[in-house]
Structure formats: structure tokens, C-alpha cells
Amino acid sequence: MGLTNQHEAHMYRPLPILCLIALTSAAPAQQTIAERYLLQTANQHRAALHLGPLTWDPALALAAQRHAIRISREPGPAEHQYRGEPDLLSRAAQAGAHFSNISENVAGNGNSPAEIELAWMNSPVHRANILDPQLNTVGIAVVQSRSLLSAVEDFGRNVPVLTPNGVEASAQQILLSHGIQPELSADARQDARRACNSQTTTGYLTQPTLIFQWEGPDLNDLPKTVASSLPRSQGKSVTHTAALAACPSTRPTGGFTTYRIAVLLY
């Protein structure tokens, strides 16, 4: 029976000896030989292109294992979602993963991990997932049933889980890097928290010159659209202070993690 595999991505993007795992949805205790092989070969391909390695994510591995078991029990080609099964985003979130990008490779009816890896690398869409520079984590599962292998690679770009205080501290460092000092008055901080739920510029205790929000998975720098909106004088940045607050994310899916921040500029 020939190898069957498919591809799906979501963006908000010498032959080994096989060590078998039980057909159970319990959390993987450790990587099997087959799973290590697929991880190592993926990282070898990435290293050849000077891409960073994929690191093992236990939550993604659990999501991959649950889906690989389902593939092994279903007739026909491997699918990304079966009747009554959550989609990839939901499966990963339910397993405890946090990510800003996620994608998946699946395969069924394979004879060896090497055969599966070769088929994925010869398929443009599967190869693109393995070599995607925006992805940095992976969970892999290989399950045997009736002498054939089912395999799943769930890739992600991990997002750290921060408390509101942690989000605010990180955002404050970003503003400081742009020369914007913290506004520490109690009224300003209260107004910043109010800005999370307000769509108007009136009713504030203070008089900010600009109110804006940004939402995204990256707390390394201001989005370009936000940075370009900062008031400037004669082509130079103006000295500002700012109060900010971490707001609840508008993303409905628990695993797809973003940060939303309200900023009052003075």
C-alpha cells in the first residue's frame, strides 16, 4: 500500500529502527527513535539552508500523537481533520500549545520513517513547512498499525505565556527603546486600563496627545504602523511619556496567542 500524505497550514503559517508507541492519547513520555529521526533530519535540512533548528514542543507532540492515532484508525488517505475531530488550531490549543503560527504535515500508510521523510521533502507544501523560517517548534508522532506507519508533524512559532504585568513590562521596554519614558501617575495608568475597553478619546482623567492599541504575537518592537504614527517635529522624534495597559486579547482561540496593549501618549 502506498504512502499517503497531505498538508495544511494556518497563519494568524541509514534507516532507523522503529520504536513503537502504544495507541493511546496519553502524553508522550519521550521521543521514539522514529520521531527523533524525523526531528533530526528536519533540522539537518534547515541547517543546510542556515535556518534555525526546530525545538521539541511537548504540547505539540501530544496534539500530533492524538491525530496520528486517529489517522492510523481511519481508512483511506491521511487527513488533517476527521468527522467529529477538532481542527488543527483547536487540537493544539487543547494540548496546551501557545503559538502565533501553526502548520501541519501528515502521512499515512508509510513503510518507514525514511520513506515518509523523503515523501515530505519531495512535496513542495510539506517541504515548505519543514523549511519555514518563521516556525521554530515542532511536535512529531509516529504510530504503527497493521505494519504501516502514520506520522504527524505539528509545527509552530512559540509565544511565551506572560502575565499582564509581564506584558506591560515588555511593552514598556519597547517604548523606552523609542525614547518614550513611562508616565507613572495613578490617573494615567487608570486611563490606560480604561482605554482597553473604550473606543472614544473622551472621558479620560488625563489629556493624552495620542491613544492607540496594538495587538500581535511579537513583543520585540513596535509594529511599523504604530512607530510611524508617533508625532515628530521637523523630522525628529518628540520627547514623550506614555502610560500603557495589557488588554485581553481579541483572539478567540486559546492556543493562538497574541498580546493587546493600549497606550496613552503624552
Side-chain angles (χ1 to χ4, degrees):
M1 188 176 297
L3 178 69
T4 61
N5 47 215
Q6 293 187 5
H7 158 91
E8 181 171 310
H10 296 271
M11 292 288 192
Y12 278 103
R13 232 175 133 347
L15 294 182
I17 299 172
L18 180 63
C19 177
L20 303 182
I21 61 176
L23 297 186
T24 169
S25 60
Q30 59 184 5
Q31 297 170 26
T32 67
I33 294 175
E35 292 155 4
R36 286 200 299 273
Y37 171 82
L38 291 175
L39 176 62
Q40 290 168 359
T41 54
N43 280 333
Q44 288 169 3
H45 293 307
R46 291 173 67 90
L49 297 177
H50 307 290
L51 301 174
L54 298 167
T55 60
W56 187 262
D57 186 310
L60 289 177
L62 176 58
Q65 185 191 69
R66 288 170 174 170
H67 190 55
I69 291 170
R70 184 65 183 266
I71 292 172
S72 73
R73 293 172 174 169
E74 295 284 344
E79 302 285 352
H80 290 281
Q81 185 177 12
Y82 294 96
R83 183 183 297 274
E85 184 186 34
D87 63 11
L88 171 59
L89 284 172
S90 299
R91 294 198 310 270
Q94 289 170 4
H98 293 270
F99 46 84
S100 59
N101 293 347
I102 190 166
S103 62
E104 180 173 79
N105 287 346
V106 299
N109 300 323
N111 292 301
S112 71
E115 181 188 63
I116 292 171
E117 185 269 338
L118 181 62
W120 279 341
M121 288 302 294
N122 285 336
S123 163
V125 288
H126 296 83
R127 179 185 177 91
N129 277 343
I130 293 170
L131 301 179
D132 188 337
Q134 298 303 312
L135 302 174
N136 58 16
T137 60
V138 69
I140 303 172
V142 179
V143 170
Q144 182 173 9
S145 178
R146 298 180 296 276
S147 301
L148 294 172
L149 304 182
S150 300
V152 176
E153 290 180 324
D154 283 344
F155 304 91
R157 182 172 183 85
N158 69 318
V159 175
V161 181
L162 300 177
T163 64
N165 286 341
V167 172
E168 291 176 3
S170 295
Q172 191 66 71
Q173 288 301 312
I174 295 173
L175 293 177
L176 282 169
S177 71
H178 286 265
I180 302 172
Q181 299 297 316
E183 173 56 62
L184 301 178
S185 72
D187 285 350
R189 289 184 61 81
Q190 182 177 338
D191 282 347
R193 288 182 168 80
R194 182 181 301 171
C196 286
N197 302 315
S198 176
Q199 299 300 317
T200 71
T201 59
T202 61
Y204 290 96
L205 301 172
T206 57
Q207 297 296 319
T209 59
L210 180 67
I211 301 172
F212 62 87
Q213 292 186 12
W214 90 79
E215 181 166 6
D218 187 359
L219 281 177
N220 294 315
D221 201 359
L222 287 172
K224 291 181 180 179
T225 53
V226 172
S228 64
S229 70
L230 296 177
R232 307 175 79 85
S233 176
Q234 297 180 351
K236 296 182 179 180
S237 297
V238 181
T239 301
H240 294 287
T241 61
L244 58 83
C247 309
S249 174
T250 61
R251 294 287 185 178
T253 303
F256 194 95
T257 304
T258 61
Y259 309 107
R260 185 164 70 97
I261 301 156
V263 178
L264 276 60
L265 203 65
Y266 299 92

